[in-house]
Structure formats: structure tokens, C-alpha cells
Amino acid sequence: MWWGGRGQSFNIAPQKEEPEMGSVQESRMPEHRSRQPSSCLASRCLPGEQILAWAPGLRKGLEPELSGTLICTNFRVTFQPCGWQQNEDTPLSSEYDFALVNIGRLEAVSGLSRVQLLRPGSLLKFIPEEIMIHGRDFRLLRVGFEAGGLEPQAFQVTMAIVQARAQSNPAQPYSGITLSKAGQASGSRKPPVPLMETAEDWETERKKQAARGWRVSTVNERFDVATSLPRYFWVPNRILDSEVRRAFGHFHQGRGPRLSWHHPGGSDLLRCGGFYTASDPNKEDIRAVESMLQAGHSDVVLVDTMDELPSLADVQLAHLRLRALCLPDSSVAEDKWLSALEGTRWLDYIRACLRKASDISVLVTSRVRSVILQERGDRDLNGLLSSLVQLLSAPEARTLFGFQSLVQREWVAAGHPFLTRLGGTGASEEAPVFLLFLDCVWQLLQQFPADFEFSEFFLLALHDSVRVPDTLTFLRNTPWERGKQSGQLNSYTQVYTPGYSQPPAGNSFNLQLSVWDWDLRYSNAQILQFQNPGYDPEHCPDSWLPRPQPSFMIPGPPSSVWLFSRGALTPLNQLCPWRDSPSLLAVSSRWLPRPAISSESLADQEWGLPSHWGACPLPPGLLLPGYLGPQIRFWRRCYLRGRPEVQMGLSAPTISGLQDELSHLQELLRKWTPRISPEVHSKKRDPHTILNPTEIVGILKGRAEGDLG
């Protein structure tokens, strides 16, 4: 479940609002009846939060249904069950709160057939008996209103939601939650996950990765190289900051090559934008660009990230189709539902991402080399593939802390435009690339359940957190915007010393809360469910390294340069497109003819490497997922949350949850008994007896054959 809202001030007074309907005006509640509960509810508000309207109601779609109060504020829509007590340690509720900006569709219902879709500026034409709030995170809040003279309040709270939703601004964070919560008012507070906003954070991570040939560059400390890049990043030791500045000028939006992850075996994974085609570098610039791309390795592979992967428009269209298909009132017939799911192409795009990430993981682990991910903007698919490669190749990235650090570094600090991609600016470039990434991670979790420390519930919490209004983590497009909003930008450049034990002066920790402060919205019991009970730390051996790290070689002309495109490696004559032929100025990383696309991955082709490189055994720490046919599954717990009847049997991975799920499955078996095949039914087994897996499969198979018949 999830919550949300905004921090604007609205001129909506529920006690004085006059609906434009005679019947509503005539049956208004006495003023004293609406004020008394309102003052009680106001005591639970956060600083700066205002109650706009409320109404008693019944939350439907749950078993059992909950009676309580539906409340609309300038921050959120929340349903508070009767007797519910707010937890002082958790000021917000992930279970009962619903963000205003998270509302994707609002419907009012009267009777069996009267339904009105309410858009911003709409006027409700009748007193609703029920309202349905469809979240953009696939959740559904369905509330029926009590009769007995309380109908006007149902009208008022519905109209308040319409107006508050129209005035909510995704780009404006709510500032009512401060560090005073849980005694965090001290300025020395350290975030639960490194925010990668200080040079010390980057130096600590560099040492953790043992990237001895790299250093923290401060060339972008004032964001004068690129506002979409972080203030600090890793560059080769031998490259001066003056060379970094010149080299980055030859890449789209100034996003030049920089280290994304150092493999313990010696390889380096880099990411960069497309070559800036209008540039005309001199020999010194060419040498600096090639040295940064080569990163001291004799073998270099340039990966065309956009090849074989969906465009942003494709991702957006697939997600819209997926949302429409998962609505409770979807018009797709049940027997056509799976075909319609495939028609969205969402699962196809997951397959493509996992396949390409697997191939890149093979390139990184099979030989010591520099592997460069190149995407024109370097802010979407580069982050997705880089993160997946690290999850497949690095066991530490599969821990709860490691995964949060990975997201913070490869997505937030790297400048993924969250606000634009998630529809917060109204621009046409909306595309939920980050949500596609989370689905890919969920697929890995299903295929390798013992290799991940975090659970599906953690992925759900992160999925629902992309529109939280109380942090800046996902509410900005660039680190520059995030730093400007939080007031952390300095007007001078400082010098960072790697051995310095404290954060440099003027570069204190960002006091803004981040999305990683989970106790803002989740109780301790919920946070415990973030842990995967099936996680086996033995799957993270200390001896998983494929080979010892070599010494960093002196940069020079690489002995082999390859372009990885369409599942195959093609030799290149040079790294930079402008070195030999001016005609290549108008071409990005796709300047060479491509071979026909291969139907096999690199792993299927025995690593897909030239014979003279020799065979390399699969490293112990590497995961290679399946991505064919039924190996890619549908994330029911996330996408079908608006259909509670489908969620039955998806209990929590705990002892009590498994017991509940077992009871539910046995109940289903008892209901299906008349439809079981005669052979199975003739055994006359006690319906309360626990069946073994083989028998259960036989029963379910018999039912499936009966359904198909």
C-alpha cells in the first residue's frame, strides 16, 4: 500500500462549500456535526497540512470491509479506519495514505450503472454512493458512503479531491516533515544510504570497489561541465581535470565517459553519452577521449545501448496499455487476457533488457577489458543496463544496503530525469524506465530467490515511492536541481583530499530526508518484511573473483576495439568517429554496418568470443537469467493490486503468511473437488489432508484441462 500528497494551500472550506445542486443544498449536514469530528482529525495532521473535507465511509474490496473516515487534505487522500491510532514514529501510513499526484483516475458511482469520470475542473452531477480512486501505482481506493443524512459530506469530499488534485504540483515537495522526527534534528545526521553528494561518499565507494586506477574528480563541483551529472565522479588517475573538461565537451550534454563500476577481476564498466557530432577535436582532445574510454586496458568494447532495446515512446505506450489492462473494469475477456498482456509488449521489453544485461555481464567477466555503455542522453537505458549488470555480476549489489546504494548512484546521482519520465512536468518525454528496471529486478528475484537479501515487498515499496512528495529523491531531474532545492549548493570550488577523514567544509550532509528513510511511511513490522527469508549469504562467497586484479596499464593505443551490437562483436578501426574520416561527424556510435541479429546470447554462444581469447568458466558470483517464454513472469502482486480477488494466495513470505496461503489453497481445492478428474476424485481423500506437490499439480492440471474443455 502507499500514500502521498502535496503541500499547497487551498481555499476550500468543507463546512461552507455550497454544491450547485438543489438536492444537496437542502440536505446539508448541520454545521456542528461536521466540525466536531474535523477538530479531532486535525490533531493527526502533519505540520502545514490542512483538512479540506471528510466523510464517513466503508472501504470496499477488502475482507472484511473497513468502516472509517475518508479524508482529503492539501497533502493526501487518506482513509482512517475506526479505532486506528497514528504511530508517532511513523508520521505517514503506507497502507492508508494516497498521494494526490498519484491519482490517475477518479470515478464517482451512483447505483449500478451511473458512473462519472472526474477530471480536473469537473463538477459532480450527483451525490455519489461510492468513489473509486485508481492510483498510477496500480492501487485502488474504493470507498462507499453511509446513508442516513450524510450524503452531502460524500459530495463535498469528492469535490475536494477533484480540486486538490487539480492544484497539486509534482515538482513541489512537501516540507512539513522535518528532521525533528525520531530525534534527527542534529545537523550531524548521516543518511541511511550514502546520497553520493559529497566527495567523501565517492571516495568511500571507490575504495570499496578497490578501483585503484581511478580517482574522484571535482571538475563538475560547480555543475559548470554538466548540470545533469553529479558534482563528483570517477576518472582515470592519469587524466587531469583540465583534460576531463575538454574531453567531456565532445559528448552529448557534456556527459563524457566515467567509471560506473569496477569489477574485482579487473574489468571496468563505463557509461557515457553519444559523441557530440558537431565537435572537431584536436589531437590532444582525441588522446584524452581515447584514454578515458580505454581506461588503461588493451581491449575495449563499445556497447550500443539503444540497439535492441525499446525507445522511450515504446516503454510509455507499453506501460499505458498495461495499466489499462489491469484496471478492475477492463473490458478484456478472461480468456483473452493473457493474449492482451503479451500485446502490451511490456514482457517483451523485460526480456530484451535481461538479455542485453546478460550479454554485457559476459563481456565484463570473461576478460579484463573496458566496456563502455553509450546512449545518446546517458540518462535512461545506460542506468538500467549498468544496474542490471552489477546485480548479475556483484553479490554485494544484491544485499539490501548494496541495492539501495546502487539505485542512489546509478539513477539518482547519475541524473535520471525522474520528474519528466514519471509525468511530473507534463512533457512528452514521459516513460517509466525506472519502473521497467524494477520489474527486471523482480524477475531476477523470482529466478534466484536465494541470492537476494531484499524481498518483493521492498521492491513494491520502492515502486510506490517514485511519487512520494516528502523527499527530493525522485522529484527532480538532475543533481543540480536537487541540490538547488535543498540549499546545498556552494558558490566556490573546494579541493578534496582522498585521505581526509571528515566531509570537507561547506559540504555537509544533505539534511533533506531521502526515500531511504523508510520509517517515515512504514512500520517496523513492514520494514522487517523487506528482508528475504530465503536469502542465503553463502551465495556471496569471498572467493568468487575470476582472477586477481592486474596493475593499471599505461594508456596507449588499444590492441583491439570492438562494437557490441545486435548480439555480436564487430571490430572497429578506432574509438572516436572523427579520427580518420570527417564524414563520420554526423554519426553516433552506430557508424559501422551491423551484422544480422543473432538469435543466441553471448552465453549461448560459449561466451561469443573469438577463439584466440580462449574459453572462460562461469564465475561463481555471476547470474545468467532466463528470458524465454514462461521464464518471464507477470508481477501480479504489483499490477493487480486493484483487483483484491486476484491477490488471494499471494501472502507474505513468512511462516504465518505461508500458513494463510496454504489454508487458502486447500480451500480452493475443496471448491474445485467436483471438477477434478474421476481418477483423482476416486481416492476420497479427506479435504483437510495436506496434499503433496505431485498431487496438487495433478489436481490443478485436471482443473485446467476442464477449463480449456
Side-chain angles (χ1 to χ4, degrees):
M1 296 296 184
W2 190 227
W3 63 277
R6 273 299 167 267
Q8 289 82 11
S9 177
F10 305 126
N11 294 321
I12 303 178
Q15 294 80 6
K16 298 181 181 180
E17 181 162 339
E18 297 291 340
E20 298 183 14
M21 293 181 59
S23 60
V24 176
Q25 293 174 344
E26 294 169 3
S27 59
R28 287 197 59 196
M29 284 284 298
E31 191 169 339
H32 69 277
R33 291 185 63 183
S34 61
R35 277 184 175 177
Q36 186 175 357
S38 179
S39 60
C40 177
L41 296 173
S43 63
R44 303 178 184 176
C45 289
L46 299 170
E49 188 177 19
Q50 305 169 13
I51 291 181
L52 308 179
W54 65 273
L58 190 70
R59 183 167 181 179
K60 298 185 176 182
L62 304 177
E63 292 185 4
E65 295 179 338
L66 294 177
S67 60
T69 305
L70 180 67
I71 306 168
C72 175
T73 76
N74 59 331
F75 177 65
R76 53 184 165 166
V77 176
T78 181
F79 182 85
Q80 294 188 0
C82 293
W84 180 79
Q85 296 294 327
Q86 183 179 16
N87 189 338
E88 295 297 333
D89 295 332
T90 307
L92 301 169
S93 171
S94 64
E95 187 172 1
Y96 300 123
D97 292 349
F98 212 95
L100 289 176
V101 295
N102 186 37
I103 298 176
R105 183 176 173 184
L106 177 62
E107 294 176 316
V109 182
S110 178
L112 298 177
S113 59
R114 196 174 186 185
V115 179
Q116 181 182 352
L117 179 62
L118 298 173
R119 298 183 175 88
S122 296
L123 178 64
L124 187 57
K125 300 177 181 178
F126 51 82
I127 295 177
E129 297 178 5
E130 179 182 319
I131 65 170
M132 300 176 67
I133 303 176
H134 300 270
R136 300 178 68 188
D137 58 0
F138 294 89
R139 286 195 303 138
L140 171 65
L141 180 61
R142 180 183 170 194
V143 179
F145 297 108
E146 299 177 358
L150 299 180
E151 297 91 344
Q153 287 181 286
F155 184 93
Q156 292 169 6
V157 73
T158 304
M159 285 305 302
I161 295 173
V162 172
Q163 296 180 44
R165 177 190 175 197
Q167 298 183 42
S168 62
N169 181 8
Q172 180 61 42
Y174 174 72
S175 58
I177 303 177
T178 64
L179 291 177
S180 59
K181 175 208 165 275
Q184 295 175 339
S186 172
S188 61
R189 169 189 176 270
K190 188 171 184 177
V193 172
L195 301 183
M196 307 307 289
E197 294 176 348
T198 69
E200 185 190 46
D201 287 345
W202 288 91
E203 178 64 16
T204 301
E205 182 63 26
R206 185 197 66 81
K207 291 180 178 178
K208 186 183 300 182
Q209 296 186 16
R212 293 194 293 268
W214 299 81
R215 67 176 180 87
V216 178
S217 173
T218 61
V219 69
N220 196 44
E221 198 165 37
R222 291 184 177 180
F223 294 105
D224 52 352
V225 173
T227 57
S228 64
L229 285 176
R231 302 175 72 183
Y232 312 98
F233 44 78
W234 298 311
V235 297
N237 274 335
R238 297 177 178 272
I239 305 297
L240 302 176
D241 276 354
S242 58
E243 296 176 298
V244 172
R245 184 182 296 273
R246 292 199 305 269
F248 275 40
H250 300 298
F251 292 85
H252 184 67
Q253 294 183 353
R255 297 181 66 90
R258 60 210 184 279
L259 178 67
S260 181
W261 176 59
H262 175 77
H263 188 274
S267 294
D268 290 308
L269 181 66
L270 288 75
R271 57 186 290 184
C272 66
F275 292 114
Y276 182 50
T277 56
S279 63
D280 185 15
N282 53 36
K283 293 182 179 180
E284 289 75 14
D285 288 352
I286 289 180
R287 188 178 299 113
V289 170
E290 289 187 335
S291 295
M292 297 186 71
L293 294 171
Q294 181 185 349
H297 297 283
S298 60
D299 292 285
V300 181
V301 178
L302 197 63
V303 178
D304 188 353
T305 300
M306 296 183 292
D307 180 52
E308 297 183 89
L309 293 189
S311 66
L312 295 179
D314 292 335
V315 174
Q316 173 66 0
L317 180 59
H319 195 258
L320 289 176
R321 289 174 174 172
L322 181 67
R323 272 208 318 232
L325 180 64
C326 295
L327 287 173
D329 59 350
S330 174
S331 59
V332 179
E334 186 176 354
D335 58 342
K336 304 290 185 181
W337 201 88
L338 292 179
S339 299
L341 175 62
E342 285 295 334
T344 65
R345 302 295 307 279
W346 184 257
L347 298 183
D348 287 339
Y349 298 154
I350 293 173
R351 293 186 184 100
C353 293
L354 290 179
R355 170 180 169 140
K356 188 142 192 172
S358 299
D359 288 347
I360 297 172
S361 299
V362 170
L363 291 172
V364 172
T365 57
S366 61
R367 181 177 173 85
V368 178
R369 59 164 62 88
S370 173
V371 179
I372 304 123
L373 305 179
Q374 187 171 43
E375 177 192 20
R376 174 174 171 79
D378 181 37
R379 301 175 67 183
D380 294 290
L381 299 178
N382 268 7
L384 184 148
L385 288 178
S386 174
S387 300
L388 288 179
V389 168
Q390 294 179 56
L391 285 172
L392 294 176
S393 308
E396 63 270 16
R398 303 169 205 149
T399 65
L400 183 59
F401 180 84
F403 182 74
Q404 293 178 100
S405 300
L406 174 68
V407 172
Q408 184 69 31
R409 186 178 72 252
E410 294 297 324
W411 293 86
V412 181
H416 177 68
F418 284 102
L419 193 61
T420 297
R421 295 293 180 259
L422 297 172
T425 61
S428 60
E429 295 89 3
E430 182 177 354
V433 180
F434 184 67
L435 302 185
L436 178 66
F437 162 70
L438 291 183
D439 201 328
C440 292
V441 178
W442 181 82
Q443 303 290 337
L444 298 179
L445 185 60
Q446 302 310 299
Q447 296 189 30
F448 307 99
D451 289 87
F452 291 84
E453 186 183 21
F454 53 87
S455 69
E456 178 183 17
F457 292 97
F458 170 75
L459 293 179
L460 277 173
L462 191 56
H463 177 279
D464 296 346
S465 297
V466 296
R467 295 182 179 91
V468 295
D470 60 319
T471 71
L472 291 174
T473 306
F474 300 134
L475 285 180
R476 291 294 178 270
N477 284 331
T478 66
W480 175 79
E481 293 177 5
R482 202 172 290 111
K484 184 178 180 181
Q485 178 69 32
S486 62
Q488 295 298 307
L489 297 184
N490 297 321
S491 58
Y492 60 90
T493 300
Q494 59 192 18
V495 178
Y496 174 68
T497 304
Y500 198 60
S501 60
Q502 299 295 328
N507 203 17
S508 60
F509 288 112
N510 188 345
L511 299 182
Q512 289 285 334
L513 294 173
S514 72
V515 72
W516 315 120
D517 292 286
W518 294 114
D519 52 359
L520 281 179
R521 302 169 298 279
Y522 293 87
S523 65
N524 291 333
Q526 290 174 313
I527 294 176
L528 286 176
Q529 292 192 16
F530 290 177
Q531 300 283 338
N532 177 15
Y535 174 63
D536 183 6
E538 296 297 326
H539 282 232
C540 299
D542 295 332
S543 59
W544 67 281
L545 308 183
R547 55 176 60 85
Q549 177 178 345
S551 58
F552 213 75
M553 294 173 285
I554 299 176
S559 59
S560 59
V561 180
W562 306 85
L563 173 67
F564 181 70
S565 175
R566 300 198 175 218
L569 290 166
T570 304
L572 294 178
N573 295 324
Q574 70 280 329
L575 269 172
C576 301
W578 346 265
R579 173 185 280 275
D580 297 326
S581 174
S583 63
L584 296 175
L585 288 177
V587 188
S588 63
S589 62
R590 307 179 180 213
W591 59 82
L592 287 183
R594 297 181 180 178
I597 183 171
S598 172
S599 60
E600 297 181 326
S601 68
L602 286 184
D604 295 334
Q605 303 172 50
E606 295 182 350
W607 300 93
L609 305 175
S611 57
H612 66 273
W613 284 0
C616 179
L618 189 67
L622 179 64
L623 305 179
L624 291 180
Y627 45 79
L628 299 177
Q631 292 175 306
I632 300 301
R633 302 169 59 185
F634 177 65
W635 194 0
R636 287 198 301 162
R637 198 191 294 272
C638 179
Y639 302 135
L640 295 181
R641 283 183 287 179
R643 301 170 65 176
E645 72 280 1
V646 182
Q647 295 297 311
M648 298 300 294
L650 296 179
S651 301
T654 61
I655 297 299
S656 60
L658 292 175
Q659 290 174 341
D660 293 340
E661 185 167 340
L662 179 60
S663 299
H664 174 69
L665 290 175
Q666 290 182 326
E667 178 64 26
L668 289 178
L669 291 177
R670 286 193 291 271
K671 293 179 180 178
W672 296 341
T673 298
R675 305 177 64 181
I676 299 175
S677 60
E679 295 79 7
V680 178
H681 189 62
S682 63
K683 296 182 179 180
K684 297 182 180 180
R685 181 181 297 272
D686 182 354
H688 295 280
T689 301
I690 297 178
L691 304 177
N692 62 47
T694 303
E695 292 171 318
I696 292 178
V697 170
I699 293 174
L700 296 180
K701 182 179 179 181
R703 176 186 181 270
E705 292 173 350
D707 289 342
L708 292 175

